[in-house]
Amino acid sequence: MKLGAIAAIVLLTACSNENDSKAQPGTVSLRLIQTSDIHSNVLGYDYYQNKEDRKFGLSRTALLIRAARAENPNNLLLDNGDLIQGTPLADYIFEQSGAGYLEKQAHPVFKAMNELDYDAGNLGNHEFNYGLDYLGKVLAGAEFPYVNANVFEAGAFKRDAKGQIDWSGNKFTPYLLLEREVTDDKGQRQRVKVGILGLTPPQVLQWDKRHLEGKVVVADMVETANHYVPELRAKGADIVVVVAHTGINANSYEAMMENSAWHLAKVKGVDALMLGHAHKNFPGDFPDLPEVDNKAGTLSGIPTVMPGYWGNHLGIIDLKLEQVDGKWQVKQSQASLRKIDASEGSAVDQRVVDLVQADHDATNQWLDEPLGKITSPIHSFFALVQDDPSVQLVSDAQRRHAEQLQQDGLLKESYPILSVAAPFRGGRNGINDFTYVAQGDISLRNVSDLYIYPNTLQVVEVNGATVKEWLEMSAGQFNRIDTGKTEVQWLVNESFPTYNFDVIDGVSYEVDITQPARYSKEGLKVSDGQRISGLTFNGQPMDPAQKFYVVTNNYRASGGGHFPGIDGSNIVHEDPFETREIIAQYLKSQSAANPAGFSPAANNNWHMKALPAGVDVRLYSSPGEEAKALAGADLEAIPLYSHHPTRQSLFAQGWRSVGELDRLRARARHTPPLQKEARHA
């Protein structure tokens, strides 16, 4: 009997080899396509300037998506979050939600994405900006599933005696196991199971505390991946794709890291990483990090993409799969980015445009409702080098609101009130990323320009010593300037986000950029440098022990930005109003008191310490005529040519064309203005 069985096997094997080599699976080419950080930029449109901007927008990315899919029908299209917030369009839809907008139709971003037939989406941190109820209503309009594995129902999250998480309490679907029929290189139909795992930064609990506290708990991304990747494998996943809303940080692992891609790449069983959050490009923007291969597009050997921001790039990972012992395995990979066509006359996906046109038009009408008049322009062209009217207006509005809170007894002590604001549009996202409001009518459109995030106002209690360290952290915005050099030196540390350049109004101080930065952008003390000098309150040197109320936004108050001494523990008031509402009310009150208009000029409570003659310090600003007209004697426009070796990298970052670059440069000579006492509006 045994011999007969053996003979039968031999005969069957011989027959198979002779008659049909196709019975053996061929190679499968599987394409993963990714968008991320769209931030409701469905159209390439600058709502603040009320004009088209061809450098971004899903309506252009859509053309790349359709082309990428046509090239390889074996594909999956995924989005990595930060989708429903970020433009006035998003704010308008939120405003309309109370009138039942979302019960009648999908959010504009999902009108577009449903048309493009996405396979799955992951939640970013900004999905939580408007609260969980609103998020639920928005996601109901998506005709594709969403995943997130590390957000848990607060009441269901617990650890056992060994510290192991009870993984049964997920707030959202933690992962998907998508089975797809594909065609191999022999023309045969095959089935491949792809696991999709979604992750978001744990810091959402800080950044959106008012919406999330007591409702959800967020686990570490790496810990979560280490649990779920083996589970996906056990359930039959041939390929595991981790879609993580996180950036790349090569520092050693720390629990609850915000940017954990480096360590996610080392989780056993991960076949591909799709990243976001950092508004960077990968491959491309991390050339000097170890274990990065920009040619193959791998991080620690794992194919990885991060497709910029606002739809300016499309991420693609091409996988070559071969079957080994009945299981598909990645044998080859290539990750790459495709940039949208931003040239004059470039095409858009008209179907996407048509789907959101009515919402777009309604948003513009809503934005143009006038709130009052201003008698001088508001701008942020030079917000990183001198006190700035756009920051000043926000600061004044916040302090006025906090003073009313104090009068109403909601701030119990009689501490002096300081106000913190930062230039959100200080050039971080390119040469058009500046605020400019011309003299005349000021509208809601302009408020959205002045304050682009749906933050709420919060108040923290600190002492004078913390105020000093707060400013030292903020001064990390600048590179150290060597007064012994005569060659060009660049002022701004471009790795330091401009939204973390806090100006504290209500005190006076100067910034000495010849001293080393005291803190890194991660909030780590890196030197004993003292960049902040001449710090005074009411004309007197700052008393380190004096108590203050500092009014800021929920992001900063809860620890966003890693400022020393600001970690959420010293919050004394959490306001229900968005900062933009407070700014709008302030503008209305100023207009009522000044029917002919008012000037939001900066009070010059801070300045750069003067540099010796002959020191050439430069910074990027707008190439526009408005910036040139406002530059004055201290800021002089000069050319910078494309062959300048120190700025070549900016082309890779998509900053500008050569023609724009030639007109772009502003040089700061740092002649300090007359010092004035801080104004208490």
Side-chain angles (χ1 to χ4, degrees), residues 41 184 229 441 492 670:
N41 287 284
D184 64 22
V229 170
D441 286 341
V492 175
H670 302 302

Side-chain angles (χ1 to χ4, degrees), residues 161-177:
K162 296 181 179 179
Q164 298 300 309
I165 294 174
D166 179 350
W167 298 96
S168 65
N170 297 91
K171 175 68 177 176
F172 305 95
T173 302
Y175 58 76
L176 297 169
L177 188 57

Side-chain angles (χ1 to χ4, degrees), residues 443-488:
S443 68
L444 193 59
R445 186 186 304 277
N446 306 129
V447 173
S448 297
D449 188 355
L450 288 164
Y451 209 97
I452 64 176
Y453 299 111
N455 291 332
T456 55
L457 182 145
Q458 293 189 354
V459 180
V460 298
E461 180 184 322
V462 301
N463 59 22
T466 300
V467 171
K468 168 67 160 56
E469 297 306 301
W470 194 322
L471 290 170
E472 288 286 358
M473 173 68 191
S474 181
Q477 180 70 76
F478 308 115
N479 295 317
R480 187 180 188 181
I481 301 303
D482 186 346
T483 57
K485 291 183 177 180
T486 57
E487 63 265 32
V488 170

Side-chain angles (χ1 to χ4, degrees), residues 399 403 406 414-419 463-465 467-468 471 504-510 532-550 605 675-680:
R399 185 165 55 238
E403 289 171 346
Q406 197 171 45
S414 58
Y415 301 147
I417 294 173
L418 311 179
S419 186
N463 59 22
V467 171
K468 168 67 160 56
L471 290 170
I504 301 184
D505 212 43
V507 295
S508 296
Y509 56 98
E510 67 177 12
I532 304 303
S533 60
L535 178 60
T536 64
F537 173 69
N538 282 343
Q540 298 298 316
M542 173 68 76
D543 179 357
Q546 179 167 356
K547 291 293 187 68
F548 295 94
Y549 287 135
V550 180
N605 72 299
Q675 295 190 44
K676 301 177 183 179
E677 273 313 313
R679 182 177 65 211
H680 294 269

